Amino acid sequence: MALALQTFSTVKDANAALKAAGTRYLGGGTLAVRAANEGDVSVSSFIRSTEPSLSAITVSGGKVRIGASVTMAAIARHPDLSSLSHAAHAVGGPAIRNMATVGGNLFAPAPYGDFTVALLALDATLSTDGGDLPIETFLVKRESIHAIVTAVGFSLPAEGSFRFLKVSRIKPKGISVLSIAAVLEQAPDGTVSSARIALGCMADRPMRATATEKALLGRILTSHGIAPALAVANDGTAPITDPLASAWYRNEVLPVHLGRLLLA
Amino acid sequence: MAKVSVQFTLNGAEKAEFIDSGTTLLHALRDKIGDTSPKGGCHQGTCGACSVIIDGELRLSCLTLAETCSGAAITTTSGLSEGGVLHPLQRAFLDAFATQCGFCTPGMIMAAKVLLDHTPNPSRDEVVEALSGNICRCTGYEPIIQAVLTAARSNSQNAARGESKKMELRKSYFADQRKDDLHEIGQPRPRSDSPGHVTGKTAYFADRNFPGMLHLKMVRSPHHHARILSIDISEAEKHPGVVKILTAKDVPHNVYTILILIQIGPEDETVLADGKVRWKGEAVVAVLAETERAAQEAAAKVKVDYEVLPAVFDMEEALKPGAPIVNEYHGRNYYLYDSGECRKVRFGDVEAGFASADHVLEQTYQSSPIEHAPTETTGCIVAPEGNDRFTCYTNTQAMFFTLDNASIILQMPGNRLHFVGGTVGGGFGGKVDVIVEPIAILGAKLTGRPVSFIYSRAEEMQISSPRAAEKVVIKDGVMKDGRIVARKVTGYTDAGAYSRHSPYGAQKGAGHYPGPYTIPNVWIDTYCVYTNRTPSSAMRGFGVTIGDFALEVQMDKLARLIGMDPLEFRFINAYRDGDMKAHRQPTEGAALIECMQEASRAANWPVAEKFMAMSSYAKGA
Ligand SMILES: Cc1cc2nc3c(=O)[nH]c(=O)nc-3n(C[C@H](O)[C@H](O)[C@H](O)COP(=O)(O)OP(=O)(O)OC[C@H]3O[C@@H](n4cnc5c(N)ncnc54)[C@H](O)[C@@H]3O)c2cc1C
Ligand code: FES
Ligand code: FES
């Protein structure tokens, strides 16, 4: 079957079209078209929707809503999202960022999905026509989700509480060896009062570093203070092995980079 | 197939086309509209050669579906120069030698243009960032970065002109050896192919499209070593769009070896696997179809039944008795030279040399295969002509070599084959094997239609021959005063499953050791070994480069061992005109001394005055 593209003005119609066999939603196409070019013949029809809300960013009352078709470049240059701009900037080179969407990033397998790591730390909620679901629930079952994700929503992190680090071997742009995002809140005495930490490439999809989060509570961000958290950094990880790095290497360097992020 | 209409402006001109739904913008621009300035180097978003500007934003045309661009304004590199006047970026690329093979250049210029449109005076870091999605395998990037900075500084076309950077020729060396009265040789000259590169006008083999052209896709072995029990093409043959499927029995002279042209046999490689596969990725069945997609779908329907055999990946393992035999045409896991199991050089008495030495140092060096990764992948397009001849447009680096081998494989007189080469989008030695042309010509012959066979990026990286893995054992005897008195080298070249150019590579190693040094006692053995790995072949100084890495690391270790400056240590041992080489050829035209003198100055690494006064050809000095 030849490849075809079907475009719908509403998400509803696009969702209906996606019920047919051999269909796949098309975001920016950086992974989907690439797969077709490389001989993946399982998809015969790309479906997309041009509904304007998919391309909108709204920020009001500390709440952010980013439409699924918004690109990394659009996030990186949005004046109200400056705290997230370097996480969006971490995806690909300039041309990729002009094409890569938030929606596609949510489905990108490791070593991709850097921005999703940020969204996981931010405890984002995903919207579909069938209702909302927390990002963690989504990540567990994303293979079985055939509905279009329409937007991601989250609370804007407090000033200075969001941290992001991508480790790659090629500068300035390279695929991740690993990525780390953290939302850390500190009490007036400097101790950590809440921590949400997400890791990329440490499993086949972004994961929470729950043991590290727990071990950070009540600690101060000094090398001594974070030592117990680093000691459990590898809890539950099952990193990928790819041409950039082996699973063993990723596990070895995770505590080093996590330490740098926490002490930054 | 559903046709859709698309309308956009391309470099200011209105375009309206009917295209197949799902066509990428890259294909629409190149194959339908005829703007071949965007290049397809990977079709996976990695190389940036296909970069275009859509509504002011940099995009990859290989990952953009053309129908999503309706109403857009598209700019490509071919639209930048106006009335024959180059854009400042094009001018700067030309002047700064920022283009070599030129395949990445149109994409680079697009990325740079978007940068300068938004940031007229970028910092160096901003330039690097802006170009970070574009790969260049030739220039090393620095000239490109400099070109973009120069274009930014110039800011106007007039200022950009005349800033041409002059190549520096250091003529003080060997001044008394030549007259220097030639008009072209010895003069800095702009490269004649650069204007074509920076305007996107240079024609590469794939920049042509024939009506009715078929696409060839290869079914490849998933195993390193296996017996083929059966091949079933019945389902694939029925697949819509399939025109022809080829297996070993269709190839007139299926077992070949490229160096047979210079009497280096035996023929040991199959065009399409027959009975057995010897490396993972080996070509088994060729599918020819109306579209790439139909060929891919049909390829997935070819059924091959294999019995997996034990494989050997390590040269030492392969040379052990009882190792699985990789290639029955050799019957043993090494190439049998007329000199025996290896190429040999014997000069002086190496054992006596070691016995008289103050120190003996033996070290082992190893390298992995290295892929050339040219930005343009290997490929050819073949068009049958009315007079029973075939024109093959190819990016081979070995035109007549390929023609002659194709003639043997196809059992077709050479005068029926017309090979057209041209600019190669990066080769580095990786495009000298005769792989795509014979089977594409056969396809064109059996179908009577033009055939395109172009490696995907994945094939280029995993199927095309890499530089061989090598192992080099060097044993040296050295005196406290710095003289090397004996050198014994054992070199192993991993040919992979088939010979290709590797017997020659291993022989070149024998010819190259003991390196550019005069040593009185030398012993060299070089082996060409077969394993179940991807066949290796030529790459920039193959048989020599890895040897040089090993030799020069060894030189540093020897210098350290005797507590001598490593550069002075090399001056002491450097070969000079008149010295007898281990191969019993007197040295002629040596220039190592002068190179090291210049290196000493350039690197600010001073050596004793007596070394700076030495000469390669005036022995007294
Ligand atoms: C050269 C290159 C470099 C890259 N570098 C990086 C990098 O550094 N970091 C990184 O994270 N990624 C990287 N990527 C991967 C990819 O570009 C990004 O992950 C991107 O965000 C994917 O988005 P997309 O819109 O292009 O997805 P698409 O390719 O359009 O889609 C990907 C998948 O998601 C599904 N999908 C897309 N949108 C939706 C939606 N709204 N609802 C439901 N399903 C949807 C599609 O059906 C498809 O299965 C790179 C890719 C390339 C080619
Ligand atoms: S990035 Fe498009 S062809 Fe390489
Ligand atoms: S000039 Fe850049 S790839 Fe050849």
Side-chain angles (χ1 to χ4, degrees):
Chain A
M1 277 268 284
L3 193 62
L5 171 69
Q6 292 173 264
T7 303
F8 298 92
S9 55
T10 64
V11 169
K12 186 164 171 277
D13 291 346
N15 263 327
L18 276 172
K19 298 220 158 57
T23 57
R24 191 171 191 188
Y25 189 72
L26 181 70
T30 57
L31 292 173
V33 176
R34 173 184 179 158
N37 286 350
E38 292 197 303
D40 175 356
V41 292
S42 66
V43 176
S44 51
S45 199
F46 283 130
I47 309 287
R48 69 170 183 149
S49 169
T50 50
E51 192 169 306
S53 64
L54 291 173
S55 305
I57 299 178
T58 51
V59 184
S60 84
K63 299 271 180 223
V64 181
R65 183 193 178 281
I66 303 177
S69 301
V70 171
T71 63
M72 295 299 142
I75 297 172
R77 64 173 171 251
H78 196 283
D80 296 335
L81 299 178
S82 53
S83 57
L84 299 184
S85 100
H86 83 291
H89 197 83
V91 174
I96 289 284
R97 285 196 292 279
N98 286 333
M99 303 170 72
T101 67
V102 176
N105 205 271
L106 288 167
F107 289 86
Y112 302 130
D114 294 320
F115 193 73
T116 305
V117 175
L119 291 174
L120 179 57
L122 291 164
D123 200 11
T125 302
L126 314 192
S127 309
T128 70
D129 268 7
D132 291 355
L133 74 167
I135 187 163
E136 278 184 87
T137 318
F138 164 80
L139 283 171
V140 173
K141 57 175 189 182
R142 69 179 174 188
E143 281 75 17
S144 58
I145 292 179
H146 294 296
I148 298 167
V149 174
T150 53
V152 298
F154 52 88
S155 303
L156 210 52
E159 181 85 22
S161 65
F162 178 75
R163 302 176 184 204
F164 181 85
L165 173 72
K166 168 169 167 170
V167 180
S168 58
R169 294 194 165 180
I170 304 164
K171 302 281 181 312
K173 182 220 86 165
I175 306 301
S176 280
V177 169
L178 57 87
S179 53
I180 312 173
V183 179
L184 296 177
E185 276 164 27
Q186 284 163 272
D189 66 354
T191 56
V192 174
S193 55
S194 86
R196 238 185 108 90
I197 298 176
L199 309 173
C201 297
M202 298 311 292
D204 67 346
R205 63 198 71 204
M207 61 174 281
R208 286 269 300 279
T210 39
T212 306
E213 292 170 359
K214 219 186 272 168
L216 274 177
L217 291 180
R219 309 287 300 188
I220 48 168
L221 297 178
T222 60
S223 37
H224 177 71
I226 65 169
L230 298 190
V232 293
N234 300 105
D235 259 33
T237 60
I240 57 160
T241 287
D242 66 4
L244 285 180
S246 63
W248 172 85
Y249 178 81
R250 286 186 157 102
N251 262 331
E252 286 297 303
V253 298
L254 171 66
V256 177
H257 293 295
L258 181 60
R260 286 180 192 161
L261 181 82
L262 294 175
L263 297 177
Chain B
M1 203 177 298
K3 294 272 183 199
V4 290
S5 73
V6 285
Q7 262 182 302
F8 45 71
T9 63
L10 176 63
N11 300 319
E14 298 270 350
K15 300 282 171 192
E17 290 287 340
F18 277 105
I19 57 162
D20 295 330
S21 180
T23 303
T24 62
L25 179 62
L26 179 62
H27 281 308
L29 288 175
R30 290 173 55 85
D31 305 341
K32 285 295 270 191
I33 294 172
D35 181 352
T36 54
S37 65
K39 303 294 174 200
C42 69
H43 303 276
Q44 52 171 232
T46 331
C47 74
C50 68
S51 301
V52 298
I53 302 173
I54 303 180
D55 293 334
E57 284 192 346
L58 189 69
R59 298 284 183 93
L60 300 169
S61 61
C62 72
L63 299 182
T64 302
L65 298 188
E67 36 201 309
T68 64
C69 300
S70 260
I74 301 175
T75 306
T76 65
T77 292
S78 67
L80 284 197
S81 51
E82 275 175 42
V85 179
L86 295 181
H87 184 277
L89 271 166
Q90 293 172 314
R91 184 80 244 169
F93 267 63
L94 206 111
D95 291 342
F97 299 96
T99 175
Q100 283 185 30
C101 80
F103 202 77
C104 71
T105 309
M108 286 286 180
I109 289 180
M110 287 288 97
K113 180 169 189 307
V114 177
L115 171 72
L116 297 191
D117 287 349
H118 295 113
T119 315
N121 284 307
S123 65
R124 190 195 147 85
D125 282 353
E126 285 171 318
V127 174
V128 170
E129 164 64 35
L131 301 179
S132 64
N134 294 67
I135 289 176
C136 177
R137 285 290 288 167
C138 304
T139 63
Y141 298 102
E142 194 54 36
I144 300 179
I145 297 166
Q146 291 308 325
V148 179
L149 289 169
T150 304
R153 269 197 304 273
S154 79
N155 253 340
S156 84
Q157 295 182 0
N158 284 337
R161 259 190 235 143
E163 264 196 32
S164 143
K165 209 166 150 193
K166 285 276 174 289
M167 186 187 291
E168 190 196 349
L169 297 176
R170 198 70 58 84
K171 293 198 171 180
S172 52
Y173 290 104
F174 305 108
D176 57 343
Q177 299 271 297
R178 61 174 187 273
K179 289 202 194 120
D180 202 18
D181 56 354
L182 300 170
H183 296 302
E184 297 292 327
I185 294 172
Q187 309 301 324
R189 289 280 179 256
R191 295 177 48 138
S192 61
D193 54 0
S194 301
H197 294 354
V198 300
T199 52
K201 290 203 172 72
T202 301
Y204 298 82
F205 85 93
D207 292 343
R208 43 177 70 79
N209 191 19
F210 293 94
M213 186 163 81
L214 300 176
H215 298 266
L216 191 155
K217 294 279 170 202
M218 202 57 91
V219 177
R220 300 188 174 281
S221 162
H223 304 296
H224 299 287
H225 197 190
R227 216 182 308 286
I228 298 176
L229 302 178
S230 66
I231 298 178
D232 178 1
I233 57 170
S234 55
E235 283 298 307
E237 270 180 328
K238 282 186 234 143
H239 191 78
V242 169
V243 175
K244 186 87 194 165
I245 295 189
L246 305 174
T247 58
K249 65 177 184 345
D250 297 303
V251 186
H253 186 82
N254 192 38
V255 184
Y256 76 109
T257 193
I258 33 191
L259 289 182
I260 204 76
L261 297 179
I262 52 170
Q263 288 80 47
I264 297 182
E267 293 180 313
D268 72 343
E269 178 162 7
T270 48
V271 176
L272 293 176
D274 193 5
K276 206 179 145 179
V277 287
R278 299 178 180 85
W279 59 284
K280 187 174 171 178
E282 182 158 4
V284 184
V285 175
V287 179
L288 292 127
E290 303 281 354
T291 62
E292 278 188 72
R293 170 85 179 192
Q296 280 158 346
E297 287 172 342
K301 290 186 172 172
V302 170
K303 292 186 201 111
V304 186
D305 201 6
Y306 293 100
E307 176 196 336
V308 177
L309 300 171
V312 59
F313 305 112
D314 179 87
M315 288 191 277
E316 269 160 283
E317 292 298 320
L319 290 175
K320 282 185 186 158
I325 293 294
V326 173
N327 188 317
E328 295 73 12
Y329 297 102
H330 294 280
R332 55 184 86 76
N333 287 340
Y334 57 86
Y335 185 80
L336 191 65
Y337 290 96
D338 50 13
S339 53
E341 73 288 0
C342 60
R343 270 284 174 241
K344 299 171 189 174
V345 178
R346 304 287 182 263
F347 185 63
D349 184 341
V350 79
E351 291 308 328
F354 291 139
S356 70
D358 291 330
H359 299 278
V360 173
L361 180 70
E362 183 177 301
Q363 298 281 295
T364 300
Y365 303 89
Q366 264 174 294
S367 70
S368 294
I370 300 172
E371 168 54 35
H372 317 72
T375 315
E376 176 204 50
T377 63
T378 302
C380 70
I381 292 177
V382 179
E385 309 294 352
N387 53 5
D388 217 16
R389 292 180 85 205
F390 297 87
T391 306
C392 178
Y393 303 92
T394 163
N395 61 9
T396 180
Q397 292 177 262
M399 184 68 80
F400 289 95
F401 214 71
T402 307
L403 190 153
D404 288 343
N405 269 299
S407 165
I408 295 172
I409 290 167
L410 301 168
Q411 299 286 290
M412 192 187 268
N415 61 12
R416 287 178 58 195
L417 298 171
H418 178 201
F419 272 56
V420 179
T423 306
V424 175
F428 320 116
K431 289 173 178 163
V432 298
D433 297 332
V434 183
I435 305 294
V436 289
E437 295 86 356
I439 194 74
I441 298 169
L442 182 64
K445 177 172 179 253
L446 297 179
T447 61
R449 295 181 48 180
V451 170
S452 159
F453 182 16
I454 304 178
Y455 274 3
S456 67
R457 177 50 51 186
E459 285 178 309
E460 188 64 42
M461 302 307 279
Q462 297 194 314
I463 302 304
S464 75
S465 339
R467 181 196 288 286
E470 286 186 46
K471 180 179 161 186
V472 185
V473 185
I474 307 177
K475 182 176 178 184
D476 284 330
V478 65
M479 307 304 288
K480 286 187 195 126
D481 64 8
R483 283 173 301 126
I484 304 172
V485 291
R487 171 163 285 173
K488 183 174 183 179
V489 184
T490 313
Y492 302 89
T493 297
D494 189 342
Y498 296 112
S499 289
R500 298 197 183 168
H501 289 85
S502 291
Y504 172 58
Q507 167 157 329
K508 275 174 78 188
H512 184 67
Y513 300 119
Y517 304 105
T518 296
I519 300 173
N521 303 295
V522 174
W523 172 298
I524 301 162
D525 285 344
T526 59
Y527 295 82
C528 171
V529 186
Y530 299 102
T531 64
N532 292 105
R533 297 177 78 180
T534 308
S536 60
S537 196
M539 181 179 194
R540 302 197 138 182
F542 68 126
V544 170
T545 311
I546 301 300
D548 276 335
F549 147 74
L551 287 172
E552 296 308 323
V553 176
Q554 178 85 356
M555 291 299 280
D556 284 345
K557 289 184 180 175
L558 291 171
R560 221 170 290 141
L561 184 68
I562 57 170
M564 190 173 273
D565 175 272
L567 194 51
E568 295 193 344
F569 176 61
R570 285 171 171 84
F571 273 102
I572 291 171
N573 291 289
Y575 68 169
R576 300 205 268 169
D577 278 13
D579 288 352
M580 183 56 75
K581 292 198 268 191
H583 314 84
R584 293 177 183 76
Q585 284 285 316
T587 305
E588 271 178 61
L592 179 59
I593 296 284
E594 288 72 13
C595 274
M596 293 196 295
Q597 288 166 343
E598 192 55 34
S600 152
R601 290 189 190 101
N604 198 15
W605 185 298
V607 291
E609 202 37 52
K610 63 177 177 183
F611 298 120
M612 294 309 273
M614 277 169 85
S615 157
S616 282
Y617 58 95
K619 251 315 176 50

